[in-house]
Amino acid sequence: MKANNARPAGVTLADVAAAAGVDRSTASRALRGDVRRVSATTIARVRATAQELGYRPDLTAAALRSGQSRMLGVLVPSITDAAMAALFAGIEDEARAAGYLAVVTSTASEDASRQTAVDAFLGRKVDGLIVADSLIDQPLPATGTGGSVPIVAAFRQGPPSHPSVVADEYAGGRAVAEHLAAQGHRDLVVLGDPAAVPTFHTRIQGFRAGIRELLGNSARVDVVPAGLQVNDGYTAMARALGERKSPTAVFAINDYSAIGAAHALQEHGLLPGSGIGLVGYNDDPIAAHLPVPLSSVSIDVRELGRQGARTLIGLIENTAAEPAAITPRLIPRASSATPADNLTRPPVS
């Protein structure tokens, strides 16, 4: 015999509230999992009561009544990127705690893909958007007449007209400059594309300013355009080595491109930490476990996600507070541990 999973006729939220000994609004928040305003004990009791009575909330009807879906839309450039996965995990943490559902989609930072995703989110009546795929001079996506759906930029800086929850990328780039300058490096390559992504632009600004302040004209810094994936780092590093004498150190704009760069360096007889210094960014979990552990700049990306969700929910509920920038920190490992004076420099073929 087939089980009947339909909600028993006549069981209402008011019935659940009465049976659990709470008021209707508390029962509603408990069923949404709003741990900010309802204790864990009460949530457990209300949910157990609802299950016992066979109550299932009609979310569509609730959204129509309240004008809120309790959903947040999240736009990321790629859901397979480790930093974006950590960012979304933080968004999900905070959204769940406040009784919201976070939904993510990837856009490859392309205007058409972004607007298609935004239109889909708006069609499902999301209460707000978190945008983590912004490019320099790219406007945030249109959200309909009057821009009634609030938007928060996260991880990547958005335009001044909207709140942005970001790390202090300038400080992160400068930390790399201080580390490599202290190791005695004067001939440096940066792998990244400052023309497109605001995050990268600011990281490279901080790096170049730090090198200029610390070393003046005694240092050479070449920026080589590179994408974010392993193959991008490999291709850009191989191109750089083919165009010039090998540098003493390389700063890659993220850890994936640093891993690709390490492969290209090894093919040219340069071992990170022995034949050259190498630093990445984002401190991906794999960085510490590579054959030569990778020095990298660590950002609490999950906390960025939490801040982004808190900021957006604050806008939705009219309790918004100004987000604070998160300070990155350099994690030195073997890939950049050897001072430049002690590096062995085999000739580049």
Side-chain angles (χ1 to χ4, degrees):
M1 186 174 177
K2 220 176 195 181
N4 181 9
N5 293 322
R7 184 173 73 179
V11 178
T12 67
L13 180 62
D15 296 329
V16 174
V22 298
D23 60 40
R24 192 176 182 281
S25 62
T26 300
S28 176
R29 293 186 185 113
L31 291 173
R32 293 199 306 264
D34 189 346
V35 297
R36 286 179 170 181
R37 290 178 282 191
V38 184
S39 71
T41 302
T42 300
I43 289 174
R45 185 171 77 252
V46 171
R47 287 182 169 177
T49 302
Q51 185 173 8
E52 183 180 341
L53 296 177
Y55 174 76
R56 295 291 183 274
D58 185 338
L59 298 178
T60 302
L64 289 171
R65 285 194 304 270
S66 67
Q68 287 191 318
S69 64
R70 311 295 296 186
M71 289 176 60
L72 309 179
V74 183
L75 307 178
V76 299
S78 170
I79 56 177
T80 60
D81 182 275
M84 292 298 108
L87 183 80
F88 183 69
I91 292 169
E92 209 171 27
D93 289 343
E94 196 67 25
R96 187 184 297 113
Y100 288 79
L101 174 68
V103 182
V104 66
T105 190
S106 59
T107 68
S109 299
E110 296 172 351
D111 287 335
S113 297
R114 292 173 107 213
Q115 197 58 55
T116 298
V118 169
D119 291 343
F121 280 141
L122 295 180
R124 287 160 177 78
K125 305 297 183 185
V126 296
D127 295 329
L129 295 171
I130 296 176
V131 176
D133 67 342
S134 297
L135 300 179
I136 291 174
D137 296 329
Q138 181 187 48
L140 289 178
T143 59
T145 305
S148 56
V149 174
I151 297 179
V152 170
F155 194 81
R156 296 182 182 180
Q157 182 77 41
S161 55
H162 290 77
S164 292
V165 177
V166 294
D168 187 343
E169 301 288 357
Y170 190 93
R174 183 182 171 84
V176 179
E178 291 173 352
H179 174 64
L180 294 179
Q183 297 292 88
H185 295 284
R186 301 292 184 271
D187 194 356
L188 306 149
V189 161
V190 178
L191 301 183
D193 187 358
V197 180
T199 301
F200 303 164
H201 180 75
T202 309
R203 284 177 194 174
I204 294 171
Q205 272 189 325
F207 179 79
R208 298 189 82 154
I211 291 295
R212 186 167 56 250
E213 182 180 329
L214 294 167
L215 302 177
N217 295 326
S218 68
R220 173 181 176 180
V221 178
D222 291 335
V223 178
V224 179
L228 301 178
Q229 302 307 315
V230 173
N231 285 343
D232 298 325
Y234 173 85
T235 301
M237 191 73 250
R239 183 170 67 250
L241 291 170
E243 292 175 353
R244 54 165 286 176
K245 177 187 173 184
S246 61
T248 64
V250 177
F251 171 33
I253 210 66
N254 76 346
D255 289 342
Y256 291 161
S257 60
I259 291 168
H263 183 194
L265 289 168
Q266 289 173 31
E267 287 188 344
H268 284 75
L270 300 168
L271 181 66
S274 296
I276 196 165
L278 177 65
V279 179
Y281 209 102
N282 288 337
D283 197 29
D284 187 282
I286 198 174
H289 304 288
L290 295 169
V292 179
L294 178 66
S295 299
S296 187
V297 176
S298 175
I299 298 173
D300 191 344
V301 180
R302 191 161 184 152
E303 178 57 25
L304 274 182
R306 294 188 192 101
Q307 279 197 21
R310 277 197 297 271
T311 302
L312 182 60
I313 292 167
L315 291 173
I316 294 166
E317 299 181 354
N318 296 315
T319 59
E322 189 69 25
I326 289 177
T327 302
R329 62 191 182 96
L330 177 71
I331 310 296
R333 298 190 179 99
S335 71
S336 66
T338 306
D341 291 345
N342 295 335
L343 295 177
T344 58
R345 307 315 314 250
V348 176
S349 58

